[in-house]
Amino acid sequence: MFRAGRRGNPRRPLLLDRAMHPNPAFRQTPEARNLAFARARGFGILTVNGTDGPLAAHVPFLIPADGTVAELHLARSNAIARVALPAPALIAVSGPDAYISPDWYGIEDQVPTWNYVAVHLRGTLSPLPVETLRDHADALSARFEAGLLPKTPWVSQKMTDGVMDRMMRMILPFRLTLTGIDGTWKLNQNKPAEARLAAADALEARGGEPDTTALARLMRQAG
């Protein structure tokens, strides 16, 4: 009975439309907001087809200002790093999620569901020259160290000479050139406003979980 993850984006292939929740009510978020969400999260599951089936890796990534690529790295030993490239790939980026009880709506004949936010970045995965790795690593750490202010940001120059270079021999840089950006924001938009808001209140009243607070806030904004 749980219902979990088509709508238009001119650069998105039809396959991407079918990959997420089919209800148009949950697929109205503009591409720019989906991209901003993925950029802010900066972490997702990279998936490609391997010779023996699907492969997945959990990766931090950067999306530059032009929004055309996602830059990432993988351990040399990762199976994806050994796939014949370029190849089609997808990064699934998850946001807050939570179980929604039908009792919270205050209306009859409802069923359990799961609310969540997710964005898929689809494109072509390609290797980058190994010479680009140091700049990528520095940009990646700078991006996330900035979120820890007022702490003085960590920089690779703090490393003992030669240590960073030896460690970077264990990883390789890659780029996902984006061909499609698709999002599902499943926030009870298909319910009456009073039912959606009642569910948001009940969800937040659970307390103690950052995901529930963030999801409740998004549910209130979803009208």
Side-chain angles (χ1 to χ4, degrees):
M1 295 178 69
F2 296 106
R3 297 182 298 223
R6 125 186 146 165
R7 208 136 168 128
N9 173 339
R11 73 171 174 177
R12 189 178 67 213
L14 182 60
L15 177 61
L16 189 58
D17 284 344
R18 296 173 177 170
M20 303 192 82
H21 200 294
N23 190 332
F26 309 139
R27 304 290 295 283
Q28 301 296 319
T29 302
E31 182 179 282
R33 189 179 184 192
N34 286 324
L35 184 65
F37 169 84
R39 179 183 284 119
R41 293 289 287 180
F43 187 81
I45 301 175
L46 171 69
T47 62
V48 301
N49 288 326
T51 55
D52 297 321
L55 299 172
H58 298 77
V59 297
F61 59 85
L62 290 172
I63 299 177
D66 65 7
T68 61
V69 300
E71 298 172 345
L72 59 116
H73 63 272
L74 294 166
R76 284 180 180 269
S77 58
N78 192 295
I80 295 178
R82 301 193 296 273
V83 169
L85 298 177
L90 180 147
I91 297 178
V93 185
S94 295
D97 68 271
Y99 170 79
I100 304 298
S101 171
D103 294 331
W104 293 346
Y105 296 125
I107 54 178
E108 298 294 326
D109 298 324
Q110 302 299 302
V111 296
T113 193
W114 206 279
N115 279 2
Y116 64 94
V117 175
V119 169
H120 287 180
L121 306 175
R122 189 179 294 271
T124 301
L125 184 68
S126 304
L128 289 175
V130 70
E131 294 79 15
T132 67
L133 184 56
R134 183 58 177 264
D135 286 345
H136 163 73
D138 284 345
L140 191 66
S141 61
R143 155 72 177 84
F144 292 104
E145 285 287 326
L148 303 180
L149 297 175
K151 178 183 105 59
T152 301
W154 178 91
V155 292
S156 60
Q157 288 78 8
K158 291 184 176 182
M159 302 283 285
T160 302
D161 286 348
V163 173
M164 186 75 171
D165 290 336
R166 289 198 298 273
M167 296 182 72
M168 287 198 304
R169 292 172 194 157
M170 308 288 289
I171 60 177
L172 293 168
F174 296 86
R175 171 178 291 159
L176 182 70
T177 301
L178 301 180
T179 59
I181 302 166
D182 198 19
T184 294
W185 298 62
K186 188 172 180 296
L187 304 168
N188 289 137
Q189 301 97 317
N190 58 333
K191 305 293 184 186
E194 61 273 17
R196 173 173 48 81
L197 296 174
D201 289 344
L203 181 63
E204 189 166 40
R206 292 174 55 191
E209 300 177 28
D211 260 18
T212 58
T213 299
L215 191 65
R217 182 174 64 252
L218 290 172
M219 289 167 65
R220 294 190 183 100
Q221 297 170 356

